[in-house]
Amino acid sequence: MGRRQRARLNRGIQYAVLVVAVVLAAVLADWGSIVRAFFNVEVAIAQFPAVITTALVNTVVYTVLGFAFGLALGVVLALMKLSPVGPYRWLATAYIELFRGLPALLVFIALGFGVPIAFQMRFDIYSTVMLALGLVGAAYMAETIRAGVQAVPRGQVEAARSLGMSPTRTMLTVVMPQAFRIILPPLTNELILLTKDSSLVYLLGLASNEYELAKFGRNALNEYASLTPLLVAGLCYLIITIPLSRVSNVLERKYGGGVSATTQ
């Protein structure tokens, strides 16, 4: 059997396995129960407009706050890690390793319950979410930004310095604009991850006007004894994440893949 025939046979086997798996799932599934549990139209209609005006809006607000704080902190950490001063590099490395290793769940618990006990102070819900998501996101974004800065050709830095620019001006006006163009795709991916991590805010205890999508769906599940609210919440997540994924793909094609492979 020739090489082309073997490749065609392998593809045929893979298609056959896929078709068998789909047919088995379709035959074995209890479609009546699935429809009753997930596709209750009356329950789905009852979720509106609150699922949009409260849950979806709060999810976006939490994510944007966390991303903005994480990006600002990530820039500082990236510059510290590129610093010629050893202690700055060590501090940035320690931070990045710590928060990349800790689950976001533990960070939410530490800020929501540990800080009030240790310092007798309590942040409001928006500040807590911003700090928790930002602290975790900054660890990943710092490595992405560092890789983007290092991807800028060294010759451009030398050219800027030869024109009399200071190191700070060179970094702000020459290096950083090009670095951010390079790292836009992985930053978009990080925004998607933070959108999903925002669901951990439920740990902090929320008033009804502070519900995000996951908490909204769980409460409605208990109220209606139906899984349909979770399906509605999941679809709302997709309204956010699918366009962001498309933007990331477009940026990745436009800028040649960015630096995601080196940092994620």
Side-chain angles (χ1 to χ4, degrees):
M1 183 181 294
R3 184 176 177 180
R4 185 172 298 178
Q5 288 176 315
R6 286 200 301 273
R8 190 179 299 127
L9 177 61
N10 284 335
R11 283 199 299 273
I13 292 173
Q14 292 176 40
Y15 279 120
V17 170
L18 180 61
V19 170
V20 169
V22 171
V23 170
L24 280 176
V27 170
L28 296 176
D30 183 348
W31 289 104
S33 297
I34 291 174
V35 171
R36 286 192 297 275
F38 289 96
F39 301 100
N40 187 321
V41 176
E42 292 181 358
V43 173
I45 293 174
Q47 307 312 304
F48 293 90
V51 69
I52 300 295
T53 57
T54 300
L56 181 61
V57 169
N58 280 334
T59 297
V60 172
V61 170
Y62 294 149
T63 303
V64 169
L65 289 174
F67 183 80
F69 178 67
L71 182 60
L73 182 57
V75 170
V76 174
L77 290 169
L79 295 178
M80 287 175 65
K81 195 162 184 182
L82 292 169
S83 170
V85 182
Y88 283 127
R89 291 199 309 275
W90 304 334
L91 285 172
T93 301
Y95 178 94
I96 291 168
E97 294 301 324
L98 176 65
F99 280 94
R100 288 177 74 176
L102 287 176
L105 178 70
L106 295 186
V107 179
F108 269 89
I109 292 174
L111 283 171
F113 304 103
V115 170
I117 293 174
F119 300 101
Q120 299 299 310
M121 59 184 292
R122 183 179 293 277
F123 301 115
D124 61 41
I125 194 69
Y126 294 99
S127 299
T128 304
V129 176
M130 179 185 71
L131 290 172
L133 291 179
L135 289 173
V136 174
Y140 292 93
M141 285 189 264
E143 283 294 80
T144 301
I145 295 167
R146 177 193 58 77
V149 169
Q150 291 179 324
V152 175
R154 182 68 185 170
Q156 298 199 22
V157 177
E158 294 172 350
R161 296 301 306 278
S162 67
L163 292 173
M165 290 187 182
S166 66
T168 302
R169 187 180 175 191
T170 300
M171 178 63 71
L172 293 177
T173 61
V174 177
V175 177
M176 293 304 288
Q178 295 185 72
F180 269 96
R181 188 185 66 177
I182 295 170
I183 64 178
L184 274 176
L187 284 184
T188 308
N189 289 332
E190 183 61 30
L191 184 58
I192 294 172
L193 294 176
L194 290 181
T195 301
K196 292 184 286 186
D197 282 347
S198 69
S199 63
L200 295 173
V201 69
Y202 80 92
L203 289 165
L204 305 176
L206 301 173
S208 59
N209 64 340
E210 297 168 337
Y211 285 178
E212 42 68 53
L213 286 168
K215 176 65 175 174
F216 183 91
R218 280 195 297 272
N219 269 38
L221 180 154
N222 294 331
E223 180 180 352
Y224 294 99
S226 169
L227 293 169
T228 302
L230 289 182
L231 178 66
V232 174
L235 292 174
C236 289
Y237 272 114
L238 295 179
I239 291 173
I240 302 172
T241 57
I242 288 179
L244 288 175
S245 296
R246 293 292 301 163
V247 169
S248 177
N249 292 338
V250 170
L251 292 173
E252 196 166 338
R253 286 196 297 272
K254 185 174 181 180
Y255 298 121
V259 295
S260 58
T262 66
T263 58
Q264 298 299 310

